[in-house]
Amino acid sequence: MKHFIFAAALVAVLFSCATMRTQKDPIENRIDALLKELSLEEKVGQTCQVTLDVILKRDAKGNALIPAQVDEALLSEVIDTYKVGSILNVGSHTLTRNEWTSIISAVNAPYVSGKSKSPIIYGIDAIHGMNYTVGGTLFPQEIGLAASWNPALAKQFAEITAYETRASGVRWNFSPVLDLGRQPLWSRNFETLGEDPYLASLMGAAIVEGYQGEAIGQYHVAACMKHFVGYSASYSGRDRTPAWIPEKYMKELYLPSFKKAVDAGALTVMINSGVVNGVPGHVNYQLLTETLKNEWGFKGFAVSDWEDFIMLHTVHRTSESLADAYVAAFNAGVDMSMVPLSPQYKEYCDIMVNAVKSGKISMERLDDAVRRILRVKVITGLYDDPSFNPEMYSDFGSDKFKTAALNSALESITLLKNDNNVLPLQTGGKILIAGPTADNLVFLNGAWTHTWQGVDSNYNTQNCKTVRQAIEGKFGKENCLYTKGAELVIENNFEKTNFVDLEDYAKKLDQADVVVLCLGEMPSTEKPGDIHSLNLDPEQRELAKMAYKKNKKVVLVLLEGRPRIIHDIVEGAAAIVQCYLPGDYGADALVKLLNGEVNFSGKLPYTYPKYDGVIEFYDHPRSVDRSKAGDFSAYNPEWDFGFGLSYSKVEYSALKMNNTSFTTEEKITISVNVKNTSNRSVKEVVQVYIGDMYSELVPEGKKLKRFSKVEIPANTEMTVDFEISAKDLMFVNQQGIFVHGDGEFNVFVGGLETHFTLNK
Ligand code: BGC
């Protein structure tokens, strides 16, 4: 009898498993039903994205009206005639929430009234806060978030950004950038999470989780992983130019941050506008379809970058006609084209309909793309209710959000030098605040702030402080002097520094006890951000040298998206502070750090170069260490990856492992003691690096494998534990597959070293 009950139960379980397998997920059923209703033209329309400018009302001179208004006739052409499924972008600058309300309601009115079968998915680049809504909370740019080495802060940034993006009616954010920052010349270095795949993966996945939440609901948005893949590695350093990435390094360096984000559930991806190994990102079937979709199981959709279907024909020249270009990109696996201008979008729709009719694009492929797009529209709730109620977002621009942005900047700004404890700044003397980046918010925010390039200061957030204003506010205006000394301008399309008020600067230097010299870059991104040299302009360095000649204590404050080379002014500086692009509350944060109210805890997310002709990364093979003298001391950056000082002293001791020899199945644990020997508490980033001594393919000396940011109270010691597995130590072999290493490995933590062996 017992046996019978057991057998009956087993049959019941097996039966329910079988029916579960044949029963489709309700979301998939819904997508099937929606897809069935669509005509060929409607399906093609779903794959088309236009920019907001296409539907905005204009004055007689062609300028978009302020406040922004949707032109009903243009909208009708986009939605009723061409059945377009997606719109992106902002007009020329930040919009008010009222403007967003009217735009989002207008673009979805045809769906709400039943005239159109599909709602519009609206996308925006809210990459460091909702930077396109007046009053949005602006955080540090991604490179600064990475410098916090704090995934919890990255997640919180994304939650707040998602909230404020939804408060503006938008449900899709073109963020995060997961490209590795391994080409410091690149204008978009500041949009990356730094040079290391492990750090970028952890921070990137935290951002995706923050954007999307457990479920999208009312307060989250669909994330968009950018830009799949290899965009950041161009060998010229100029935007949208080719990269060479051998399979080994594609797999070990460039793909992991995307894989981790896919595993975290990222709903969309944007494609690399550049070229890798001769293949434009938009026609790379192997990466888009084989790796991302088939191997990794990515179920969301892939959107092209700006005009990139067209660029296959006009720039990259892999397609002889536009029609061929569209077919090539679509068949490679790009599901939506950011066409995005008019009349090009009309041509796109016509060409695509014909391509399906003639069989160049199969209906199966079109259905796959549309299914993916509909999936994201269903998950983001657009089919249920595309409207939004701005009243539901009372925390928009709230003090608690501003405090979160301030805290992110506080944990990100990195102290690179502090000789003779010049910092914390003492009150009492005269502070000269100078330099081209000292007195405008645009230098704290960078590009993608109110406008695309972020240089127009007309839209700066009210009541946020420049570095000058924050220092004057804290130390008293009467104790401060200010003069620019130099300014950043654009000449012949390139950034340049010109001296201004140089005599005044020289005079004020004489009166100053300490100089806070703010150097850096003009906000810029993409093509407009291309530069000729990584060296910081000589005029800016001259300002520092003038102060050194007068024996002044100089605190260099760097506001820059790229690590600009400053080698000849490092030695003379008393202190150097890397702010990256810390956002609207960056100056408040800087002052709290400079005056010692808060301790520094940021660490470099990249290797800071010393010379313009030598670019090094911390995870280099031993040949890079080999010097002319024949020893292994040649690796010589200005500052190493992971470096950053604080006002405390942390001593490392007792680096231990649970064993000295492991099989590939065993758990490997590492522990270390960290002691704060100072009288103030500190947040320390404990970093674990591991290197394979010998390997079939040249091993790197060390790679970051774990880190933990821990708060250590004053005069306190604690133990920090880590666990890794042999899987974390795998490498890509000559056949292009991940395999286990074996033999001896070195472990480096905080200047300590130990070893273990791994047995395959
Ligand atoms: C950029 C993308 C961005 C898109 C939409 C492109 O030019 O490369 O990163 O998301 O524009 O604004």
Side-chain angles (χ1 to χ4, degrees):
M1 184 65 177
K2 246 186 186 171
H3 283 129
F4 173 75
I5 294 172
F6 175 74
L10 188 67
V11 168
V13 169
L14 289 177
F15 180 74
S16 68
C17 288
T19 46
M20 258 164 60
R21 245 179 272 135
T22 49
Q23 250 173 24
K24 255 189 162 175
D25 178 327
I27 292 184
E28 297 305 311
N29 282 334
R30 189 163 180 200
I31 296 167
D32 284 346
L34 291 167
L35 188 69
K36 260 194 217 131
E37 295 298 311
L38 299 184
S39 65
L40 169 60
E41 287 72 14
E42 284 165 332
K43 287 180 184 173
V44 164
Q46 286 301 306
T47 72
C48 178
Q49 187 183 54
V50 301
T51 190
L52 178 62
D53 271 331
V54 168
I55 55 163
L56 283 186
K57 261 191 199 155
R58 295 175 182 279
D59 62 19
K61 286 190 186 145
N63 298 321
L65 298 187
I66 297 175
Q69 284 170 48
V70 170
D71 182 315
E72 290 302 328
L74 294 173
L75 180 69
S76 160
E77 202 171 20
V78 165
I79 295 186
D80 305 337
T81 314
Y82 286 93
K83 324 284 181 203
V84 167
S86 180
I87 302 180
L88 86 151
N89 227 339
V90 66
S92 50
H93 59 82
T94 298
L95 302 177
T96 62
R97 286 182 69 208
N98 279 342
E99 286 173 284
W100 278 122
T101 309
S102 77
I103 288 170
I104 298 297
S105 312
V107 300
N108 272 317
Y111 173 71
V112 172
S113 69
K115 209 167 162 200
S116 158
K117 286 180 207 153
S118 312
I120 290 286
I121 182 158
Y122 203 104
I124 197 94
D125 295 278
I127 71 163
H128 72 122
M130 186 30 170
N131 37 264
Y132 284 139
T133 301
V134 176
T137 309
L138 300 189
F139 283 74
Q141 295 275 3
E142 261 189 49
I143 197 71
L145 284 179
S148 75
W149 291 59
N150 186 342
L153 278 185
K155 185 170 178 189
Q156 187 190 41
F157 142 78
E159 283 164 351
I160 292 171
T161 301
Y163 182 102
E164 294 195 344
T165 304
R166 288 303 296 266
S168 312
V170 176
R171 301 188 188 199
W172 182 21
N173 191 2
F174 301 142
S175 176
V177 166
L178 300 171
D179 301 305
L180 280 199
R182 289 179 86 91
Q183 168 47 287
L185 280 166
W186 189 41
S187 61
R188 308 187 73 171
N189 190 64
F190 71 95
E191 296 179 47
T192 75
L193 293 161
E195 81 186 36
D196 180 72
Y198 180 70
L199 178 63
S201 298
L202 253 61
M203 299 296 279
I207 295 174
V208 169
E209 284 163 13
Y211 283 151
Q212 298 191 171
E214 298 278 307
I216 299 287
Q218 299 292 330
Y219 299 112
H220 292 90
V221 292
C224 184
M225 309 174 281
K226 295 198 313 197
H227 305 80
F228 193 76
V229 53
Y231 179 28
S232 59
S234 79
Y235 51 77
S236 75
R238 296 207 300 269
D239 188 52
R240 289 173 158 79
T241 59
W244 293 326
I245 309 179
E247 189 179 14
K248 175 177 173 65
Y249 299 110
M250 181 57 96
K251 289 185 172 167
E252 289 181 355
L253 294 174
Y254 293 94
L255 286 173
S257 50
F258 288 93
K259 172 70 167 66
K260 185 92 179 163
V262 169
D263 292 345
L267 287 168
T268 72
V269 64
M270 193 183 291
I271 306 307
N272 167 18
S273 294
V275 174
V276 173
N277 305 334
V279 186
H282 286 73
V283 293
N284 201 324
Y285 178 86
Q286 185 58 40
L287 285 169
L288 299 188
T289 298
E290 290 299 344
T291 303
L292 177 70
K293 292 180 175 174
N294 296 347
E295 196 187 313
W296 295 356
F298 171 68
K299 295 275 180 295
F301 71 86
V303 62
S304 83
D305 204 339
W306 189 274
E307 285 187 325
D308 271 319
F309 277 30
I310 299 173
M311 299 238 185
L312 292 171
H313 171 58
T314 57
V315 178
H316 301 310
R317 300 201 166 181
T318 50
S319 297
E320 284 187 15
S321 67
L322 276 187
D324 285 355
Y326 293 172
V327 170
F330 203 74
N331 283 342
V334 192
D335 305 300
M336 180 186 280
S337 173
M338 188 187 289
V339 184
L341 302 171
S342 181
Q344 289 85 338
Y345 82 87
K346 300 175 190 172
E347 195 178 19
Y348 168 84
C349 291
D350 293 342
I351 288 176
M352 289 291 285
V353 167
N354 285 333
V356 178
K357 283 186 180 157
S358 70
K360 286 187 179 156
I361 292 172
S362 67
M363 188 55 91
E364 198 189 350
R365 169 68 193 113
L366 179 63
D367 281 351
D368 169 54
V370 176
R371 202 181 279 281
R372 288 167 179 276
I373 294 165
L374 298 185
R375 188 173 292 127
V376 176
K377 289 189 177 182
V378 168
I379 292 174
T380 51
L382 283 164
Y383 274 101
D384 294 326
D385 184 5
S387 67
F388 82 108
N389 175 3
E391 307 289 310
M392 279 180 56
Y393 300 90
S394 54
D395 281 338
F396 179 91
S398 60
D399 285 347
K400 76 175 181 201
F401 284 2
K402 290 175 185 162
T403 304
L406 174 75
N407 287 338
S408 295
L410 282 168
E411 287 209 23
S412 132
I413 294 174
T414 307
L415 181 62
L416 298 175
K417 184 176 182 190
N418 190 19
D419 274 4
N420 307 321
N421 298 327
V422 62
L423 299 180
L425 277 182
Q426 304 301 318
T427 43
K430 274 253 181 285
I431 304 173
L432 169 60
I433 308 151
T437 59
D439 201 22
N440 197 325
L441 272 182
V442 299
F443 300 115
L444 295 155
N445 281 306
W448 304 105
T449 306
H450 310 301
T451 62
W452 175 41
Q453 292 298 309
V455 265
D456 190 341
S457 44
N458 285 319
Y459 309 100
N460 285 353
T461 314
Q462 298 295 308
N463 302 323
C464 285
K465 295 190 201 83
T466 67
V467 174
R468 174 192 179 182
Q469 290 164 341
I471 294 180
E472 286 177 351
K474 188 65 83 179
F475 290 90
K477 223 174 166 170
E478 64 288 0
N479 299 317
C480 298
L481 300 162
Y482 169 74
T483 192
K484 242 186 200 169
E487 66 182 2
L488 282 155
V489 294
I490 299 198
E491 240 175 60
N492 299 327
N493 286 325
F494 280 84
E495 162 195 303
K496 187 176 178 309
T497 308
N498 287 337
F499 287 125
V500 286
D501 309 326
L502 204 57
E503 277 174 28
D504 189 46
Y505 175 64
K507 199 174 79 201
K508 287 186 175 149
L509 275 178
D510 290 330
Q511 300 161 28
D513 297 292
V514 58
V515 184
V516 176
L517 183 58
C518 302
L519 306 178
E521 298 186 298
M522 184 82 132
S524 68
T525 185
E526 301 188 48
K527 273 278 157 215
D530 283 353
I531 50 175
H532 294 311
S533 160
L534 202 52
N535 290 319
L536 190 72
D537 284 348
E539 292 80 2
Q540 295 199 43
R541 291 183 276 128
E542 186 55 31
L543 294 182
K545 290 174 192 169
M546 283 170 70
Y548 302 162
K549 272 190 204 133
K550 293 181 189 266
N551 287 321
K552 296 292 161 183
K553 281 190 260 174
V554 181
V555 180
L556 296 181
V557 168
L558 306 175
L559 288 154
E560 56 182 13
R562 291 169 270 230
R564 302 300 288 262
I565 289 160
I566 52 167
H567 183 55
D568 60 352
I569 56 169
V570 168
E571 201 187 326
I576 304 179
V577 182
Q578 172 60 290
C579 296
Y580 316 94
L581 295 165
D584 268 346
Y585 306 93
D588 291 322
L590 174 68
V591 170
K592 283 179 191 291
L593 294 161
L594 289 182
N595 78 352
E597 202 176 316
V598 177
N599 206 347
F600 283 93
S601 68
K603 307 280 172 196
L604 285 177
Y606 48 62
T607 311
Y608 204 114
K610 186 181 266 185
Y611 306 108
D612 58 349
V614 184
I615 301 299
E616 298 165 314
F617 301 107
Y618 86 90
D619 50 351
H620 55 271
R622 192 162 156 83
S623 53
V624 173
D625 289 320
R626 196 164 157 235
S627 75
K628 289 188 186 188
D631 60 13
F632 288 91
S633 62
Y635 171 68
N636 186 22
E638 196 67 75
W639 293 285
D640 215 346
F641 171 81
F643 176 77
L645 301 167
S646 73
Y647 293 130
S648 305
K649 191 157 182 294
V650 177
E651 285 172 4
Y652 284 73
S653 64
L655 175 59
K656 287 191 208 130
M657 301 188 65
N658 56 334
N659 209 338
T660 50
S661 171
F662 300 89
T663 67
T664 53
E665 303 304 314
E666 282 172 327
K667 247 194 234 161
I668 304 173
T669 64
I670 299 169
S671 72
V672 70
N673 285 6
V674 282
K675 186 173 182 184
N676 178 1
T677 58
S678 71
N679 289 329
R680 57 184 303 165
S681 126
V682 67
K683 287 178 184 163
E684 172 74 355
V685 182
V686 183
Q687 305 166 33
V688 177
Y689 296 89
I690 300 184
D692 196 347
M693 276 288 267
Y694 294 93
S695 167
E696 170 194 334
L697 292 184
V698 179
E700 296 85 9
K702 58 176 193 176
K703 293 206 65 96
L704 181 70
K705 293 297 173 188
R706 290 289 182 274
F707 65 87
S708 176
K709 193 165 193 174
V710 289
E711 179 145 18
I712 322 174
N715 300 307
T716 303
E717 182 162 17
M718 62 203 290
T719 304
V720 185
D721 299 305
F722 299 94
E723 191 180 304
I724 61 161
S725 76
K727 218 171 154 227
D728 296 303
L729 306 173
M730 289 174 102
F731 69 95
V732 173
N733 70 2
Q734 289 200 52
Q735 284 67 47
I737 44 177
F738 273 102
V739 290
H740 284 293
D742 63 356
E744 196 175 345
F745 286 77
N746 298 326
V747 181
F748 307 94
V749 185
L752 305 174
E753 193 175 332
T754 185
H755 314 271
F756 67 92
T757 49
L758 193 63
N759 309 301
K760 268 204 263 196

